[in-house]
Amino acid sequence: MTYLKRISLVLMLAVSFLQAQVPDGYNLWLVYRGINNNQMLKEYNEITKSIYFVADSKILENAQNELAKGLTGMLGPSSLHLTTLSAASNSLIIAKKSKLTPNQLSEIGIDFDHLGKEGFLITTVRSHGREVVLLTANEDVGILYGVFRLLQFMQAQKKIIGIRLIDAPKIELRMLDHWDNLDRTVERGYAGFSLWNWQKLPEFIDQRYIDYARANASIGINGTVLTNVNANAWVLTPMYLDKVEALADVFRPYGIKVYLTARFSSPIELGGLSTADPLNEEVQRWWNVKAAEIYKRIPDFGGFLVKANSEGQTGPQNYGRTHVDGANMLATALQPFGGNVIWRAFVYSEHDATDRAKQAYDEFVPFDGKFNENVLVQVKNGPIDFQPREPFHPMFGAMPKTPLMMEFQITQEYLGFSTHLVFLPKLFEEVLDADTFKKGQGSFVARVIDGSLDQHALSGMAGVANIGNDLNWTGHPFAQANWYGFGRLAWDPYLSSETIAEEWLRATYSNATEFVEPMKKLLLGSREAVVNYMDPLGLHHIFDTGHHYGPGPWVDNLSRPDWNPVYYHKADEYGIGFDRTPTGSNATAQYAREVGDSFNDLKSCPDEYLLWFHHLSWDYKLKNGHSLWDGMALKYQQGVDEVKEMIATWDQMIPYVSESRHKEVKMLLNIQLKEAKWWRNACLLYFQTFSKKELPLGVESPEQTLEYYKSLKFPYAPGIKPRW
Ligand code: BDP
């Protein structure tokens, strides 16, 4: 063995040793496995032979470090061959537009305006009779995003020579909302404690903050709300702002801005004022001064996310004022510094007997056009609350003068916590693809959100994070795909869930067709499975109380009517479902006529939303010919059967994943199966007390009695709301 070969063997062993030190799953989709396709290996070695890439800013340093990491993992140690600019020898040129020569610019021949602040171009140009790969952008952050994409293509073993990819985000604010409390518990968090170690900050910078930022930058997420919407004013004190500043410093060179939740009553709690009335001058001054204090430390602070007059949080209505008064007061404080207010539309009141699904629309739509320019109204994807399936929120079709920001929930509060394998991009895609008919056919929710339908400069998409300090970040190894998929859809809301599934599987696990194809099918089918075994045919909010773990369709004793599952399913001897047509709550009138009519008419209402909009007899004939009772029972069974199929597929995947990962997911899938049966049994036994009908052929008999399922209690289920 030559000396050089020996050295490189030692290096290779060192790299694999180092990689082995990282727990399985920690590296997320940034695993950077060795390339095993010889033809592609040859191409990538050729491309990376002579790289021109000057890292003269913090962002570019991070981009270059990532390139080194990626190439080392995929091509072997010391694969980052940096050289000076030389037309005769460079094989890969990574440089901002301002660094390119007029010759190169004319060869690329694109309008850089299309790339905006964050977009990038990866293309191949011919120089000195060779193909040269060129990655360029207007700004450093575009280069960072482009480097991640280039590495992703290589990991997926795609051809790069000949490529011409122009990509820029379609949505401006692409954010994760952490519902993290200052004591490190996470509301609705199922992946351990909060990443933010407040006690050790600002001095101690956990490597996880950096790896969190890398993961986010790799999918284009550019904002993070550090704290829970059920907010704690303490985070606005100088002591905590020191810590927030330290996090902002870590995230900035990855293109990520920090946001905080603003507790509306902070001027009272921290400022000693007697009121938080948004029209009171002292209150306004308090917020103005607070904003200036924050921006002095964090010049690129993103702004405030606010939950007001909702589920016990105070807000402007406590002082006889409106959402507009509250939001605009904060917007005025942030405006001089370029910050935004994200005001949530998740409101409903126990004092209002109106169908809960209608309340947010009723409260907000009259305010269209009244919010300041730096206010976005953040709307949950559906009108109730992050259910496994909801029709799109009617507000998306009704506020043309206000930038509406999408709020998805990535953490699986209503989808089996971090135990159930559910690929959420399928759910997100269904909502984004829905047609509001706001401006005629083709007025998709995606077009409302990206601002293109109503020409808004400001646009945003938020996902309630599923991240905690678990070794693999998300609890379930496959829940990583939901973080990934959210980011990709926030970047481009027109991407298909299939594309996302494929990208993620290839990056995280393997390129083998025998793995990618069946696993893609598994991922894409997993969302329908959970709907079937929890909430088929438009049922919703029949979860057990408070913690939302498992079924509780019988719950009827909560203080607020709209917290009780019986409010939502309305089962009786005649039938089941919530009549939201004109004979009932008339919630369908909040949609454009085309949409409302199609929900109202049983002939056109999709089966998926049947019981969301209609109260129907147990004997009602479904489109497939079954009676409603039989059809519902068969759906519950189908959900269980689908989980069995998922397990059978996973059993075939042993050759493609590590032994420990295989075992881990297998155990989780077995719990999912047990819980799917629990859902089926509990719901069918309970609804049977009304339908008084036998279970149809093909539906397995419940193992336990209804009394047994009702007796199950989970006082220590994870993720429960804090009580302060
Ligand atoms: C509900 C959650 C609750 C959140 C609330 C919200 O159960 O923990 O505080 O949403 O979005 O689904 O404000």
Side-chain angles (χ1 to χ4, degrees), residues 412-424:
Q412 292 171 234
E413 175 181 358
Y414 299 98
L415 288 114
F417 293 6
S418 60
T419 324
H420 294 207
L421 192 166
V422 184
F423 183 63
L424 293 175

Side-chain angles (χ1 to χ4, degrees), residues 179 344 378-381 386 405-409 462 464:
W179 285 358
R344 296 178 88 226
Q378 180 166 294
V379 184
K380 287 191 181 181
N381 58 274
F386 296 142
M405 183 156 169
M406 173 64 77
E407 181 172 344
F408 284 128
Q409 192 179 43
V464 180

Side-chain angles (χ1 to χ4, degrees), residues 421 477-478 505 509 515 518-519 522 644-667 669:
L421 192 166
F478 277 74
L505 286 166
Y509 288 102
F515 173 79
M519 284 307 294
L522 181 152
K644 290 182 191 161
E645 281 164 35
M646 285 159 73
I647 293 175
T649 303
W650 186 245
D651 282 343
Q652 305 299 310
M653 297 303 130
I654 291 175
Y656 309 101
V657 295
S658 70
E659 204 185 320
S660 59
R661 176 62 52 82
H662 196 272
K663 198 168 151 207
E664 185 184 359
V665 174
K666 179 73 188 262
M667 289 188 290
L669 283 168

Side-chain angles (χ1 to χ4, degrees), residues 329-598:
M329 168 192 64
L330 293 174
T332 305
L334 296 172
Q335 194 273 333
F337 311 99
N340 293 314
V341 171
I342 300 165
W343 193 266
R344 296 178 88 226
F346 179 66
V347 295
Y348 60 100
S349 159
E350 76 260 50
H351 308 298
D352 187 344
T354 318
D355 173 4
R356 170 170 162 189
K358 292 174 66 177
Q359 294 187 24
Y361 177 107
D362 287 348
E363 235 180 284
F364 275 85
V365 171
F367 295 135
D368 191 25
K370 302 214 160 63
F371 291 99
N372 284 9
E373 265 182 15
N374 55 336
V375 177
L376 295 108
V377 172
Q378 180 166 294
V379 184
K380 287 191 181 181
N381 58 274
I384 297 285
D385 198 355
F386 296 142
Q387 298 301 293
R389 172 167 277 131
E390 297 192 33
F392 70 87
H393 203 303
M395 280 177 70
F396 290 123
M399 292 186 73
K401 297 191 201 116
T402 311
L404 297 182
M405 183 156 169
M406 173 64 77
E407 181 172 344
F408 284 128
Q409 192 179 43
I410 314 173
T411 189
Q412 292 171 234
E413 175 181 358
Y414 299 98
L415 288 114
F417 293 6
S418 60
T419 324
H420 294 207
L421 192 166
V422 184
F423 183 63
L424 293 175
K426 192 80 184 160
L427 184 165
F428 303 157
E429 174 186 50
E430 180 176 288
V431 178
L432 293 165
D433 283 356
D435 197 342
T436 65
F437 278 83
K438 187 179 185 178
K439 290 191 171 166
Q441 201 168 5
S443 305
F444 304 113
V445 171
R447 296 187 58 207
V448 177
I449 292 311
D450 74 8
S452 62
L453 193 68
D454 302 301
Q455 268 86 51
H456 291 300
L458 211 52
S459 58
M461 193 192 285
V464 180
N466 62 347
I467 303 162
N469 68 352
D470 269 9
L471 291 180
N472 68 15
W473 304 84
T474 53
H476 198 305
F478 277 74
Q480 296 178 353
N482 296 333
W483 176 7
Y484 179 89
F486 166 78
R488 295 291 286 131
L489 282 168
W491 177 279
D492 181 354
Y494 304 94
L495 274 180
S496 77
S497 55
E498 186 175 348
T499 303
I500 294 169
E502 176 148 355
E503 281 180 7
W504 180 78
L505 286 166
R506 285 175 180 274
T508 313
Y509 288 102
S510 163
N511 287 303
T513 317
E514 302 77 7
F515 173 79
V516 174
E517 288 309 313
M519 284 307 294
K520 205 161 71 177
K521 195 165 160 247
L522 181 152
L523 291 185
L524 294 174
S526 61
R527 188 290 186 109
E528 207 55 40
V530 78
V531 170
N532 288 336
Y533 63 72
M534 285 186 183
D535 282 312
L537 298 171
L539 285 175
H540 50 287
H541 224 312
I542 55 175
F543 295 81
D544 200 1
T545 312
H547 48 64
H548 302 146
Y549 173 59
W554 45 80
V555 176
D556 62 359
N557 59 353
L558 300 181
S559 55
R560 297 177 56 147
D562 47 14
W563 278 352
N564 287 305
V566 295
Y567 171 92
Y568 296 98
H569 62 67
K570 304 208 181 312
D572 55 24
E573 303 223 331
Y574 168 81
I576 183 168
F578 198 130
D579 184 1
R580 294 194 163 104
T581 70
T583 55
S585 78
N586 203 19
T588 51
Q590 294 183 335
Y591 291 97
R593 196 178 39 77
E594 294 86 337
V595 181
D597 284 355
S598 101

